[in-house]
Amino acid sequence: PEDELSSVMLSLPGIGMGESRDAHDRFAAVVELVGRYLCLFRGDATFGLVHFHPAYDRSVIHPLDKPAYGHLPPTSWLRPILKKGGALEEAESLSNEELLLSNYQRRAPHTAINFLRASQLTAAAGPNSICDLDVGGGVVEKASGIKLYTRNTIRMA
């Protein structure tokens, strides 16, 4: 029952073990397969995924400039997210290196996947959190969790 179990953490210490680029690539491949199968069997309406890795780096997760299921927003979206979240000063003043510290939101001692009920994702992102985000160059994308990612990006910086 949902009121008794809201998420399950699947620990995968043997998948993508270590902090090398090869280890991160193996992690990215495995979690992409998990996400695709979850969607294929329509489990994404019930569960969401949150991925963790010791060397988590969103800037090398494909697609680079689009959302990837279970991952942080694309690195290139962080300034637009900060602006949309009302943190205009931080959007202008934080360096690229400071913005990349947001990767620490998804770093863990070993690879893991958190399976959350969709209701938990909604609670974290906020109800009706999907909005239009101007990511620059005349491109507008759908995004969610603006408040959450704004707060976390500033805290990590």
Side-chain angles (χ1 to χ4, degrees), residues 56-67:
Y56 187 91
D57 184 358
R58 178 56 176 97
S59 64
V60 296
I61 300 290
H62 292 278
L64 299 177
D65 293 324
K66 298 277 186 191

Side-chain angles (χ1 to χ4, degrees), residues 32-74:
E32 182 178 346
L33 285 173
V34 170
R36 286 179 186 240
Y37 275 103
L38 186 67
C39 292
L40 178 67
F41 292 104
R42 298 192 174 116
D44 56 323
T46 306
F47 296 103
L49 305 176
V50 179
H51 304 303
F52 297 91
H53 187 269
Y56 187 91
D57 184 358
R58 178 56 176 97
S59 64
V60 296
I61 300 290
H62 292 278
L64 299 177
D65 293 324
K66 298 277 186 191
Y69 192 54
H71 291 283
L72 291 173

Side-chain angles (χ1 to χ4, degrees), residues 27 87 145:
F27 149 77

Side-chain angles (χ1 to χ4, degrees), residues 60-126:
V60 296
I61 300 290
H62 292 278
L64 299 177
D65 293 324
K66 298 277 186 191
Y69 192 54
H71 291 283
L72 291 173
T75 304
S76 62
W77 289 21
L78 292 178
R79 287 188 199 283
I81 285 172
L82 289 170
K83 289 177 184 174
K84 185 81 172 181
L88 300 177
E89 181 181 329
E90 290 86 349
E92 297 299 325
S93 65
L94 291 176
S95 70
N96 290 338
E97 291 78 21
E98 288 172 316
L99 291 176
L100 289 176
L101 294 173
S102 69
N103 284 315
Y104 280 91
Q105 296 175 67
R106 298 294 178 86
R107 293 202 177 159
H110 52 79
T111 303
I113 303 172
N114 192 1
F115 289 81
L116 292 106
R117 291 189 186 271
S119 61
Q120 294 297 311
L121 292 173
T122 301

Side-chain angles (χ1 to χ4, degrees), residues 12-28:
L12 302 165
I15 305 292
M17 194 165 36
E19 296 187 19
S20 71
R21 178 64 188 267
D22 285 344
H24 193 272
D25 288 347
R26 283 190 300 279
F27 149 77

